Amino acid sequence: MHLKYMIILFLVFLIQFSLACACLAVNQEQREQLALTGWRYSSNQSRIKLQISSQCCGFRSENDAEEHPSCANLKCCEGNSNYACCAGNTNQTSNVTCPCASCSEKLADKINYGFKLTGGIGLFFSFTEILGVWITVRYRNQKDPRANPSSFL
């Protein structure tokens, strides 16, 4: 029973340690690519909520030819309906930059913090799992001091 526990705990340690190291090793470009993938797979409703809560418009910029909902209800677009990004028209290319910051700019620090926090917490708990394996190895064959001493012979 203890051997199975040790093996399973060690496998969980390896997986968790690998994922924690991966979270800490991801560079800025890879983080942005993961966030862009999340943006593309999210629903329009989720994009609207993100744009409103972060006061940002689109993932990168209005000229990225990416679809994003209208930013007309944001504070930065109030009175600026002539901008393509504020109208949600991503097919129209414009040389005029959007008055709103892109969501990738606004959320870069939060995404970076999330990866570092996840990696740090993962490392902490993976080392506590190794401690559990060590304790199991150390104390698995000890006799109960209250038991009959000759019962194990």
Side-chain angles (χ1 to χ4, degrees):
M1 177 67 178
H2 294 290
L3 184 61
K4 289 180 188 177
Y5 172 75
M6 287 177 6
I7 291 171
I8 290 171
L9 196 60
F10 185 71
L11 289 175
V12 169
F13 160 76
L14 285 178
I15 293 168
Q16 191 168 2
F17 183 75
S18 300
L19 290 174
C21 289
C23 282
L24 292 173
V26 171
N27 64 27
Q28 181 66 31
E29 182 181 313
Q30 292 168 330
R31 283 191 294 265
E32 187 172 318
Q33 186 62 36
L34 285 169
L36 178 61
T37 302
W39 175 268
R40 288 182 177 154
Y41 282 111
S42 64
S43 68
N44 249 1
Q45 196 66 18
S46 298
R47 292 176 186 177
I48 290 170
K49 286 181 182 177
L50 178 68
Q51 288 181 161
I52 291 171
S53 66
S54 300
Q55 288 297 306
C56 59
C57 187
F59 185 73
R60 287 194 186 135
S61 71
E62 65 179 293
N63 295 328
D64 258 356
E66 68 185 45
E67 293 181 20
H68 66 82
S70 172
C71 300
N73 55 353
L74 299 177
K75 291 178 185 175
C76 57
C77 277
E78 289 177 1
N80 294 320
S81 60
N82 55 338
Y83 292 100
C85 65
C86 292
N89 186 1
T90 56
N91 296 330
Q92 176 186 354
T93 58
S94 171
N95 293 333
V96 181
T97 59
C98 186
C100 304
S102 68
C103 290
S104 66
E105 293 172 11
K106 284 268 192 160
L107 299 176
D109 290 339
K110 291 179 182 179
I111 292 170
N112 186 27
Y113 176 73
F115 271 98
K116 289 187 188 279
L117 183 68
T118 302
I121 290 172
L123 277 179
F124 173 77
F125 283 108
S126 65
F127 286 121
T128 59
E129 287 168 4
I130 280 296
L131 181 65
V133 169
W134 178 77
I135 289 172
T136 303
V137 168
R138 172 73 173 89
Y139 295 109
R140 74 178 188 166
N141 291 327
Q142 283 195 341
K143 297 178 185 177
D144 186 3
R146 298 169 288 157
N148 184 2
S150 62
S151 66
F152 287 102
L153 297 176

